């Protein structure tokens, strides 16, 4: 096989993997960093497999590239969920702390009963 054909196949499959990873991530509204990372990981994986297996590895390269992209998006989603859980916990903590402070303030304003002599 001609080396220029092999390079063209490699370039084509890497570009295809990047595009196929980026399009759904963009459509789903992910930030540019997540989209770029998904595309880069997919392209790298596709290139790695096509370089090792040549034309016979194209189908496998496409499925592995798609998998790499979904891993990136899943990790981003997990990070987003963790951040939201943290923010929710902080809101609950702050509201509990505010409630406890209000209780202390209310107790401090109560007139104390006179002490017996």
């Amino acid at each position: 096989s001609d080396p220029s054909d092999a390079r063209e196949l490699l370039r084509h499959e890497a570009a295809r993997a990047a595009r196929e990873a980026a399009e759904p991530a963009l459509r789903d509204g992910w930030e540019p960093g997540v989209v770029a990372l998904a595309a880069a990981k997919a392209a790298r994986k596709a290139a790695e497999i096509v370089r090792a297996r040549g034309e016979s590895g194209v189908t496998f390269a496409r499925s592995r590239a798609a998998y790499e992209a979904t891993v990136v998006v899943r990790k981003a989603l997990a990070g987003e969920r963790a951040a939201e859980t943290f923010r929710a916990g902080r809101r609950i903590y702050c509201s509990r702390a505010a409630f406890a402070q209000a209780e202390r303030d209310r107790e401090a304003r109560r007139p104390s009963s006179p002490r017996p002599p």
Side-chain angles (χ1 to χ4, degrees):
S1 117
D2 186 357
S4 65
D5 289 346
R7 278 194 303 274
E8 180 57 27
L9 177 65
L10 185 66
R11 188 199 64 72
H12 173 77
E13 288 304 318
R16 177 186 177 133
R19 185 177 57 254
E20 288 181 357
E23 286 172 354
L26 281 170
R27 205 173 32 251
D28 292 345
W30 285 100
E31 65 185 45
V34 172
V35 174
L37 184 59
K41 289 255 187 179
R44 192 175 311 126
K45 183 53 78 176
E48 196 177 284
I49 294 168
V50 170
R51 188 176 293 116
R53 295 186 177 191
E55 202 168 332
S56 66
V58 167
T59 302
F60 179 63
R62 288 177 184 170
S63 69
R64 287 301 298 179
Y67 172 77
E68 291 292 323
T70 60
V71 167
V72 169
V73 171
R74 276 198 310 240
K75 284 181 179 178
L77 182 59
E80 221 176 57
R81 286 182 179 156
E84 180 52 39
T85 300
F86 174 77
R87 286 189 295 270
R90 189 174 55 201
R91 283 191 299 270
I92 290 168
Y93 173 80
C94 289
S95 63
R96 284 185 181 167
F99 179 77
Q101 184 61 50
E103 283 293 307
R104 287 191 295 276
D105 292 347
R106 212 175 355 263
E107 287 295 322
R109 285 193 302 264
R110 273 196 189 138
S112 56
S113 52
R115 291 187 188 167

